[in-house]
């Protein structure tokens, strides 16, 4: 059942929405994209329900600066029905200073004015602050409670020296007395010693505090006097609360809640924009190239997980050593690749391996690859370089801070994006304070913990240099769209035009050629392109990196390349495409190729033996046994590529009667177990969990409607008198004649309640629908498969079933 207060709040919000013109409604919709997310509402009453959703309200509050929330909290402290003039007086500032922040609450539908100009605060906002400004419930909450009997109320009136009367009148008199600072002060003067100190603690550090319940019944104690005179109420034996009016009276007329309309000053220093740009063009391609190298390494050596979840320090260090990354880069790239779905858990490999998405990623241009990494980092809910208690957390392990880490990252980068061009932050403590002003619901201690890690991660990705934001970082910080790390909303970030332009420029300086020396070195004077770095990493040993990278060719490195399938001609041809191959390098490659393969080593999963060479020859040539990869090693010995249990099963399926033999030569009998083939890949989720990845290569997302256009449609629909009202059941009963009564009722709930249902049409087509409206003989409803509103003729609907999310 929906509470009456919530219904009243929705009614007031709807009433205000009906008074808005198209310009003002457009502003609300633009600030609340959640309200017009698919399926977008088509009526103002549906919009009001969306705007009042508690989870959506909380998400909006997280994006508002400190003064907006201070104003909302002060309005709640005054009772949630206050005029702007009274609010400004309470906050101790001119009305002109408060009005813009009140207007901002209105523009986000977190508050709205009623017909008398009083401010109504959304329920979701009120639920966040149960004690706004450190103040408790109003006196009427306690005096009208069922726990306060009529006798107790009369006793309270006598203690305060008030005349007896009807309950409502007595409640008003008590509230008036205890709200008056002068009268309350005079009362306390006659109270037992220690009463004022007790009440001051509740007024400033309350309103709810633990107490010794026995003192509330001890004659002559300050606690008993406070309870008898209504300045403290006891909901339980060891807990007491101070009413809001009493606390305000004790704080005095000079008290004003905090109000900080201006962000804290942040010390800055000038920086050279060309140097910043140069470092961006070095860092961004380096991370793309190292990411590819790291994923290639995991393809060869799957990365195991700890029993408790996450990747162990030993594996991180091994991976860093083998790929030429430093340890911090490896930690960051592992986290990013897991969120970007480039790295996955594979049961057969018992470790993390690249996914099919990696195969597509590596074929994209370098700028597109960079945007995939940036998008994953932007919504990542862990910080790989954050130190908690002086220690790094486990890579890909659980992080109790969760989504707050992602919000802290965006808050810190957002502060840097607001600095003037060519200026850098010179005070990291001030950076944390500024980030808290812009995101006040974030824990300040978490912000202070995350800020150094955010700056270091951003520096590695080319988003920050010298503690100033680069053009690439500014383009990313401008994107409000983030989502959580399990949302596949990446294309909304990756395809942003400004980010596309900046990422292309950040990777424009990559080198696609190398200088080969007679000393068997290859030098790349600048950031190498991913393809060039991959080729040189495969064929040579990297000796240095930085402004210029150096590789050295050795017999071992060339042999390693040939182990992957290269011939001498193929290798020299690939090297010739990126530079001029000197004669010593040509000699080295051909000499290694001449000796390569003189001795071979073969892996054999099991051996098949028989005393009859003819029988083995028959098995080796059997067409249905080709999947065993059988090779004749000797007239009576076959080598199989599959393990013994699977080889046994396949031979028996084809009419043979083999028996397993232990290493000792003894025959044993075991049950054959055939593993079912596993389809698809598994992706890593937070905490080491896995889930199936079944997604198209490039997901398409239907954007919400334009706020201005939709505002016009909403206002037009509100004025459309032709819309059917109260006739749902009659129309469906008459027009949807193919449906039984129960299914007609369910279809009626799709219209009147917006519920989800699955329908089948006469031609066999099915659809999942919701938020329906009747238009003539058709049902106009949101179709999840189409991602839009469609019309379905009622006469063509042959079945309706419940659909549960």
């Amino acid at each position: 059942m929906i509470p009456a207060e919530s219904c009243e709040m929705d009614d007031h919000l709807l009433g205000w929405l009906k008074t808005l013109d198209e310009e003002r409604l457009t502003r609300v919709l633009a600030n609340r994209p959640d309200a017009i997310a698919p399926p977008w509402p088509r009526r103002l009453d549906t919009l009001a329900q969306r705007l009042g959703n508690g989870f959506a309200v909380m998400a909006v509050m997280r994006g508002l600066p400190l003064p907006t929330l201070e104003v909302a909290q002060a309005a709640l402290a005054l009772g949630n029905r206050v005029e702007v003039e009274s609010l400004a007086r309470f906050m101790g500032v001119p009305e002109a200073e408060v009005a813009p922040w009140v207007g901002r609450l209105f523009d986000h539908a977190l508050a709205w004015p009623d017909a008398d100009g009083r401010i109504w605060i959304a329920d979701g906002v009120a639920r966040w602050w149960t004690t706004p400004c450190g103040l408790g419930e109003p006196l009427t909450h306690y005096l009208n409670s069922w726990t306060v009997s009529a006798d107790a109320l009369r006793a309270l009136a006598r203690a305060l020296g008030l005349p007896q009367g009807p309950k409502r009148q007595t409640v008003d008199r008590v509230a008036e007395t205890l709200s008056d600072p002068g009268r309350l002060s005079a009362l306390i003067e006659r109270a037992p010693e220690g009463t004022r100190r007790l009440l001051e603690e509740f007024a400033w550090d309350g309103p709810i505090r633990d107490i010794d319940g026995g003192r509330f019944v001890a004659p002559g104690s300050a606690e008993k006097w406070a309870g008898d005179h209504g300045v403290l109420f006891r909901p339980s034996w060891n807990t007491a609360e101070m009413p809001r009016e009493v606390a305000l009276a004790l704080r005095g007329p000079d008290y004003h809640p905090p109000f900080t309309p201006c962000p804290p000053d942040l010390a800055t220093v000038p920086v050279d924009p060309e140097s910043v740009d140069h470092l961006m063009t070095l860092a961004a391609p380096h991370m793309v190239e190292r990411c590819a190298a790291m994923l290639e390494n995991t393809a060869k050596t799957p990365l195991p997980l700890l029993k408790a979840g996450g990747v162990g320090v030993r594996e991180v260090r091994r991976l860093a050593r083998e790929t030429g990354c430093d340890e911090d880069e490896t930690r960051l790239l592992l986290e990013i690749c897991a969120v970007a779905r480039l790295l996955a858990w594979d049961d057969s490999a018992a470790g993390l391996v690249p996914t099919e998405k990696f195969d597509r990623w590596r074929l994209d241009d370098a700028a597109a690859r960079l945007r995939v990494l940036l998008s994953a980092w932007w919504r990542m809910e862990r910080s790989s370089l954050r130190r908690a208690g002086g220690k790094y957390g486990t890579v890909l392990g659980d992080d109790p801070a969760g989504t707050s880490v992602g919000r802290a990252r965006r808050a810190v980068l957002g502060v840097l994006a607001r600095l003037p061009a060519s200026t850098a932050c010179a005070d990291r403590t001030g950076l944390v304070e500024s980030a808290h002003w812009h995101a006040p619901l974030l824990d300040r201690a978490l912000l202070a913990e995350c800020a150094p890690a955010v700056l270091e991660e951003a520096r590695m990705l080319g988003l920050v240099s010298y503690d100033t934001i680069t053009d690439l970082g500014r383009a990313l910080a401008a994107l409000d769209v983030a989502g959580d790390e399990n949302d596949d909303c990446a294309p909304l970030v990756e395809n942003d035009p400004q980010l596309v332009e900046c990422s292309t420029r950040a990777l424009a300086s990559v080198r696609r050629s190398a200088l080969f020396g007679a000393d068997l070195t290859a030098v790349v004077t600048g950031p190498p392109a991913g393809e060039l770095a991959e080729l040189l990493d495969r064929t040579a040993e990297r000796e240095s990196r930085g402004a210029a990278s150096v590789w050295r060719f050795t017999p071992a490195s060339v042999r390693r390349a040939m182990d992957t399938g290269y011939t001498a001609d193929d290798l020299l041809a690939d090297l010739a495409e990126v530079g001029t191959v000197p004669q010593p390098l040509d000699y080295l490659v051909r000499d290694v190729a001449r000796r390569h393969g003189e001795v071979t080593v073969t892996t054999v999963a099991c051996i098949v033996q028989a005393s009859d060479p003819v029988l083995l020859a028959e098995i080796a040539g059997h067409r249905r046994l080709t999947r065993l990869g059988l090779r004749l090693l000797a007239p009576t010995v076959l080598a199989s590529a599959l393990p013994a249990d699977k080889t046994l099963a396949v031979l028996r399926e084809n009419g043979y009667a083999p028996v397993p033999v232990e290493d000792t030569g003894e025959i044993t009998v075991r049950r054959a177990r055939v593993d079912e083939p596993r389809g698809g890949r598994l992706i890593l989720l937070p905490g080491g969990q896995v889930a199936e990845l079944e997604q198209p290569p490039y997901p398409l997302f239907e954007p919400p409607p334009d706020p201005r256009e939709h505002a016009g449609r909403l206002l037009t629909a509100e004025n459309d008198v032709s819309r059917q009202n109260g006739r749902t059941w009659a129309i469906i009963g008459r027009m949807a004649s193919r449906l039984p009564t129960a299914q007609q009722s369910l279809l009626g709930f799709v219209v009147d309640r917006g519920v989800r249902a699955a329908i089948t049409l006469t031609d066999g087509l099915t659809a999942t629908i919701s938020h329906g409206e009747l238009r003539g003989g058709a049902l106009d409803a949101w179709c999840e498969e189409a991602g839009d509103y469609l019309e379905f003729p009622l006469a063509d609907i042959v079945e309706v079933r419940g659909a549960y999310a």
Side-chain angles (χ1 to χ4, degrees):
M1 181 180 293
I2 300 174
E5 296 84 354
S6 178
C7 293
E8 180 189 14
M9 188 68 68
D10 286 345
D11 290 343
H12 279 281
L13 175 56
L14 176 58
W16 175 65
L17 291 174
K18 290 180 178 179
T19 67
L20 300 184
D21 57 18
E22 184 174 328
E23 186 68 31
R24 191 70 185 274
L25 184 57
T26 297
R27 204 151 64 234
V28 171
L29 297 180
N31 287 323
R32 294 290 301 272
D34 58 284
I36 52 175
W40 41 83
R42 297 184 294 183
R43 301 194 302 265
L44 287 180
D45 56 348
T46 310
L47 176 64
Q49 292 175 0
R50 286 277 194 96
L51 292 172
N53 179 273
F55 293 105
V57 166
M58 278 305 307
V60 175
M61 288 173 63
R62 292 189 183 102
L64 293 178
L66 182 58
T68 311
L69 303 187
E70 288 175 333
V71 167
Q73 192 172 180
L76 287 171
L78 289 180
N80 189 23
R81 306 288 187 272
V82 62
E83 297 177 349
V84 177
E85 181 182 359
S86 302
L87 179 61
R89 187 166 55 251
F90 176 53
M91 302 189 77
V93 296
E95 185 177 338
E97 289 191 28
V98 172
W101 303 106
V102 173
R104 196 158 183 173
L105 288 170
F106 292 170
D107 288 344
H108 287 79
L110 299 181
W112 52 90
D114 63 11
D116 299 323
R118 295 175 301 175
I119 302 171
W120 285 66
I121 304 292
D123 275 344
V125 178
R127 282 195 292 270
W128 177 258
W129 286 296
T130 55
T131 59
C133 299
L135 299 170
E137 298 285 353
L139 262 167
T140 53
H141 169 80
Y142 300 99
L143 298 178
N144 290 323
S145 170
W146 64 271
T147 59
V148 178
S149 64
D151 290 340
L153 188 59
R154 284 193 292 270
L156 175 58
R158 284 195 302 272
L160 296 175
L162 299 176
Q164 300 294 323
K167 181 178 180 180
R168 181 178 295 276
Q169 191 177 55
T170 302
V171 168
D172 292 342
R173 285 172 178 168
V174 170
E176 182 181 355
T177 300
L178 297 180
S179 302
D180 188 306
R183 297 168 72 176
L184 181 60
S185 181
L187 275 173
I188 297 175
E189 291 296 331
R190 302 191 296 272
E193 184 179 354
T195 301
R196 182 172 292 277
R197 185 179 67 254
L198 171 69
L199 298 183
E200 290 285 344
E201 291 175 354
F202 272 89
W204 293 100
D205 301 324
I208 305 171
R209 293 174 66 86
D210 294 333
I211 47 89
D212 179 2
R215 293 190 58 80
F216 268 79
V217 295
S221 68
E223 288 82 358
K224 187 174 190 313
W225 183 93
D228 291 342
H229 288 77
V231 291
L232 291 180
F233 288 84
R234 221 165 28 124
S236 62
W237 179 255
N238 289 323
T239 304
E241 302 179 8
M242 176 173 282
R244 181 178 305 174
E245 294 88 342
V246 175
L248 286 173
L250 288 168
R251 292 181 184 184
D254 294 332
Y255 164 75
H256 303 292
F259 183 54
T260 51
C262 298
D265 293 331
L266 180 59
T268 59
V269 293
V271 292
D272 178 19
E274 291 187 2
S275 298
V276 172
D277 201 59
H278 175 66
L279 290 179
M280 176 187 73
T281 59
L282 289 178
H286 171 75
M287 289 302 278
V288 173
E289 177 233 315
R290 288 298 86 200
C291 181
M294 187 194 74
L295 290 169
E296 288 285 357
N297 183 279
T298 59
K300 299 173 185 175
T301 309
L303 201 60
L305 295 179
L306 299 171
K307 290 182 179 179
V311 180
V313 174
R314 184 178 300 175
E315 286 297 326
V316 171
R317 290 173 178 169
R318 177 195 63 78
L319 188 60
R321 184 175 60 254
E322 293 181 3
T323 57
C325 296
D326 67 36
E327 191 175 329
D328 286 351
E329 286 177 346
T330 304
R331 295 177 65 88
L332 176 60
L333 286 174
L334 283 173
E335 299 273 11
I336 288 177
C337 288
V339 176
R341 310 300 193 247
L342 299 175
L343 198 60
W345 174 264
D346 184 77
D347 278 340
S348 60
L352 299 175
V353 296
T355 65
E356 287 92 343
K357 185 175 180 180
F358 167 65
D359 297 328
R360 298 191 298 268
W361 178 82
R362 67 192 303 184
L363 296 177
D364 273 338
D365 63 87
R369 280 180 274 169
L370 174 63
R371 292 194 299 276
V372 170
L373 303 183
L374 294 181
S375 173
W377 180 77
W378 195 232
R379 68 185 193 274
M380 194 167 73
E381 294 176 2
R382 290 178 301 277
S383 178
S384 55
L385 303 184
R386 176 167 68 97
R387 292 183 181 272
K391 296 181 179 179
Y392 285 146
T394 304
V395 176
L396 296 176
D398 287 324
D399 192 330
T403 56
S404 296
V405 173
R407 290 196 289 271
R409 177 184 301 115
R410 294 188 283 275
V412 170
L413 206 66
V415 171
L416 295 180
R418 295 181 184 93
L419 293 178
S422 304
T423 59
C425 168
D427 177 16
R428 291 199 172 183
T429 301
L431 176 64
V432 172
E433 294 301 316
S434 294
H436 187 263
W437 189 90
H438 288 285
L441 296 187
L442 278 173
D443 180 68
R444 197 187 301 261
L446 177 66
L447 265 175
E449 207 174 63
C450 287
V454 170
L455 293 176
E456 182 61 17
E457 292 172 10
R459 182 194 63 77
M460 291 180 184
L461 292 166
L463 305 171
V464 169
S465 302
Y466 302 121
D467 281 359
T468 188
I469 197 165
T470 64
D471 290 343
L472 187 63
R474 199 177 297 275
L476 185 63
L479 297 173
D480 293 329
V481 177
D484 63 50
E485 67 179 15
N486 292 322
D487 287 341
D488 228 347
C489 65
L492 299 176
V493 175
E494 294 167 21
N495 298 330
D496 176 74
Q498 186 65 28
L499 190 62
V500 169
E501 179 186 342
C502 290
S503 61
T504 302
R505 188 163 62 82
L507 290 157
S509 63
V510 297
R511 299 291 186 263
R512 304 185 184 281
S513 62
L515 300 174
F516 295 110
D519 59 349
L520 300 179
T521 60
V523 180
V524 180
T525 57
E531 298 81 2
L532 175 60
E534 184 179 347
L535 171 63
L536 295 177
D537 281 341
R538 195 162 53 239
T539 58
E541 306 290 350
R542 190 189 290 246
E543 291 190 339
S544 68
R545 64 179 71 253
S549 300
V550 178
W551 284 262
R552 182 173 298 277
F553 292 90
T554 65
S557 69
V558 174
R559 184 182 64 248
R560 185 177 66 235
M562 291 184 174
D563 286 343
T564 64
Y566 265 119
T567 64
D569 290 338
D570 291 340
L571 177 54
L572 290 170
D574 284 354
L575 294 176
E577 289 182 2
V578 298
T580 302
V581 179
Q583 194 173 54
L585 179 56
D586 185 284
Y587 286 164
L588 173 65
V589 171
R590 295 193 183 279
D591 184 58
V592 171
R594 179 176 54 80
R595 293 183 289 110
H596 189 259
E598 289 178 340
V599 178
T600 63
V601 177
T602 302
T603 298
V604 176
C606 71
I607 296 295
V608 179
Q609 294 177 288
S611 58
D612 186 356
V614 177
L615 175 60
L616 277 192
E618 175 191 323
I619 293 174
H622 201 301
R623 288 186 301 172
R624 293 185 179 179
L625 300 179
T626 53
R627 54 178 161 162
L628 295 179
L630 297 173
R631 303 186 302 280
L632 194 64
L633 302 182
T636 58
V637 181
L638 281 175
S640 171
L642 294 185
D645 55 348
K646 294 185 178 180
T647 301
L648 277 168
V650 173
L651 288 173
R652 287 168 176 169
E653 287 175 3
N654 288 276
Y656 299 97
V659 293
V661 179
E662 289 285 1
D663 294 339
T664 60
E666 296 179 359
I667 296 177
T668 59
V669 179
R670 293 180 181 147
R671 292 184 181 276
R673 181 174 179 271
V674 181
D675 293 331
E676 293 294 328
R678 297 180 180 272
R681 294 271 185 156
L682 296 178
I683 59 169
L684 188 74
L685 298 178
Q689 297 178 342
V690 292
E692 291 187 5
L693 176 64
E694 295 291 345
Q695 297 166 348
Y698 299 97
L700 300 178
F701 294 85
E702 185 70 24
D706 177 78
R708 183 172 297 280
E709 291 181 4
H710 198 61
R713 283 198 293 266
L714 283 168
L715 295 176
T716 300
E718 191 63 28
N719 297 325
D720 184 8
V721 296
S722 65
R723 185 161 50 86
Q724 299 287 348
N725 287 310
R727 300 176 57 195
T728 301
W729 309 102
I731 294 174
I732 290 178
R734 186 176 71 254
M735 304 295 295
S737 56
R738 296 175 182 267
L739 299 175
T741 304
Q743 294 185 21
Q744 289 179 348
S745 298
L746 179 56
L747 200 60
F749 284 121
V750 173
V751 177
D752 286 355
R753 305 279 180 85
V755 302
R756 268 174 104 238
I759 62 172
T760 303
L761 304 178
T762 52
D763 55 5
L765 292 177
T766 61
T768 307
I769 62 170
S770 61
H771 301 83
E773 289 185 356
L774 296 176
R775 300 187 183 279
L779 173 67
D780 187 3
W782 177 264
C783 176
E784 294 184 9
E785 289 77 9
D788 204 349
Y789 284 98
L790 300 179
E791 287 194 358
F792 302 94
L794 289 171
D796 291 348
I797 301 176
V798 297
E799 185 183 12
V800 182
R801 305 177 305 280
Y804 305 98

